[in-house]
Amino acid sequence: MAPKIPSVFFKNGASIPVLGLGTWNSPPGQVTQAVKDAISVGYRHIDCAHVYENEHEVGAGIAAKIEQGAVKRHDLFVTSKLWNTYHRPDLVKGALQTTLRNLNLKYLDLYLIHWPQAYQEGDVLFPLRPDGKRVHFSDVDYVDTWPELESLVDAGLVRNIGLSNFNVQQVKRILDVARIAPVTNQIECHPYLHQTELREFCNEQEIIITAYSPLGSPARPWVKQDDPILMMDPIVKKLAKKHTKSPAQVLIRYQIQLGNVVIPKSVSKQRIAANAEVFDFELGVDDMLQLSELERSGRICPESFSFGHQHHPFEEEFRKGRQ
């Protein structure tokens, strides 16, 4: 029997399943099956993005399950994200329409600005400078992009809008101009990186946190041999043993108990199913404390291509770390 995944409510009254399938860094050719498997075992929340270059595969998986009669479109919650090369206001609607075509959908449940920093406009996802280490920047300000997302809601193409990878000051700037407030800020969050100040600020503003890389993204393309592996951490393993659960299940449960929506990625049917088996146990106060004490500011996704950009969200913390 597939677990029933509960939902939480945004400030505007719309609901989102607390657990979703992440699709970042999923190997090409395996995403369609992963989506079908996820829906089969009870997932109703799929997180994708234009930059992942696999939305057509996600769309094929969704279409197959709808065709089978396993789900209807309104049963699903599908998120995508506006990429950095489409921040210019006149490009936003076209970028969404490309995503909708790829996903074979008429509307999205949630559309996010993927990063606050804009890149040189065009269809090259990472328009690199000659040194190959940094991208060409665009000076478009995300506060000028936001009204275009609001107009997508007005047009019925998007049900909810939000942010991703925005720091406290950047969220404040959006709130200052917003007619429709962001419902979520999707950020990296796991025991090595809690982003406590940002989470507390968003909670005060009733902006739900969606946690990506909750398992520490062990298969990320830039992983180094000596990088710590979160799922191998002695505390995580000890708690897994205590609760007769896997390290991944402990880490997913941790995010849920912090009050976050969580989107672990997998293409293995067995792991996709196991990742949803987190509603039959609870971490105790001491368990939560032990995980909170693993903080090491261990950011996995610094988007170092855009260091130097005036809107890079983590520039300050990396400068401090180098001092």
Side-chain angles (χ1 to χ4, degrees):
M1 178 73 183
K4 172 77 176 146
I5 296 171
S7 291
V8 290
F9 289 93
F10 293 136
K11 186 181 180 180
N12 64 11
S15 65
I16 179 173
V18 74
L19 175 71
L21 178 74
T23 60
W24 171 61
N25 200 29
S26 291
Q30 297 180 36
V31 180
T32 297
Q33 190 59 48
V35 169
K36 291 196 288 188
D37 290 341
I39 291 171
S40 294
V41 301
Y43 286 70
R44 296 295 179 261
H45 172 187
I46 313 290
D47 182 87
C48 29
H50 177 75
V51 75
Y52 303 164
E53 298 186 277
N54 58 16
E55 288 191 323
H56 57 293
E57 291 189 48
V58 174
I62 290 171
K65 296 310 283 186
I66 289 175
E67 207 172 302
Q68 278 175 21
V71 285
K72 294 184 167 65
R73 169 63 185 98
H74 64 74
D75 297 324
L76 299 174
F77 191 101
V78 183
T79 300
S80 189
K81 308 176 192 83
L82 177 74
W83 184 238
N84 307 359
T85 54
Y86 305 113
H87 280 205
R88 204 173 70 202
D90 62 304
L91 300 177
V92 172
K93 188 175 182 181
L96 171 71
Q97 286 169 330
T98 297
T99 276
L100 290 174
R101 270 197 308 275
N102 286 337
L103 290 169
N104 196 23
L105 298 176
K106 291 188 169 61
Y107 70 90
L108 287 180
D109 298 277
L110 178 60
Y111 199 39
L112 310 177
I113 300 181
H114 203 152
W115 289 87
Q117 68 271 26
Y119 294 169
Q120 180 178 277
E121 290 72 25
D123 293 327
V124 177
L125 296 174
F126 293 91
L128 291 180
R129 300 180 189 192
D131 66 7
K133 290 176 184 167
R134 285 200 301 163
V135 291
H136 282 288
F137 299 157
S138 164
D139 60 2
V140 175
D141 192 323
Y142 52 83
V143 295
D144 297 322
T145 310
W146 188 253
E148 295 304 315
L149 269 75
E150 294 175 325
S151 72
L152 299 176
V153 177
D154 297 338
L157 296 170
V158 172
R159 299 278 167 91
N160 302 279
I161 50 178
L163 309 170
S164 181
N165 299 300
F166 276 56
N167 65 31
V168 170
Q169 292 307 319
Q170 292 168 333
V171 176
K172 282 180 180 171
R173 288 190 73 221
I174 289 288
L175 290 172
D176 285 344
V177 301
R179 174 172 58 86
I180 300 172
V183 295
T184 191
N185 190 11
Q186 185 178 126
I187 61 172
E188 181 184 340
C189 194
H190 46 77
Y192 288 167
L193 183 77
H194 285 91
Q195 307 217 68
T196 305
E197 183 195 358
L198 177 57
R199 284 192 300 110
E200 286 176 354
F201 173 75
C202 288
N203 288 339
E204 283 165 16
Q205 301 300 320
E206 297 180 80
I207 297 170
I208 282 178
I209 293 294
T210 302
Y212 73 75
S213 297
L215 311 180
S217 291
R220 62 191 179 277
W222 52 87
V223 68
K224 298 192 194 76
Q225 207 170 352
D226 59 348
D227 282 348
I229 300 169
L230 178 59
M231 284 195 285
M232 298 297 289
D233 189 284
I235 297 291
V236 176
K237 287 171 76 175
K238 182 183 81 173
L239 292 175
K241 189 176 179 185
K242 173 183 171 182
H243 291 281
T244 330
K245 289 288 181 178
S246 69
Q249 289 166 327
V250 165
L251 292 168
I252 292 164
R253 181 71 203 178
Y254 182 56
Q255 292 302 321
I256 291 167
Q257 287 187 219
L258 286 175
N260 301 338
V261 170
V262 60
I263 47 169
K265 177 229 89 173
S266 182
V267 292
S268 150
K269 184 173 185 176
Q270 188 183 356
R271 283 197 293 271
I272 289 168
N275 287 348
E277 290 166 3
V278 293
F279 301 103
D280 59 351
F281 80 108
E282 194 164 319
L283 297 168
V285 174
D286 188 56
D287 300 337
M288 295 292 286
L289 184 63
Q290 288 182 64
L291 289 167
S292 74
E293 288 173 346
L294 294 179
E295 177 65 62
R296 55 169 77 192
S297 303
R299 192 177 291 282
I300 287 162
C301 298
E303 197 63 17
S304 51
F305 271 138
S306 25
F307 281 160
H309 195 295
Q310 62 174 333
H311 296 140
H312 191 291
F314 323 130
E315 193 82 3
E316 200 176 315
E317 81 180 47
F318 275 86
R319 270 205 304 270
K320 279 180 189 164
R322 285 196 291 263
Q323 281 169 7

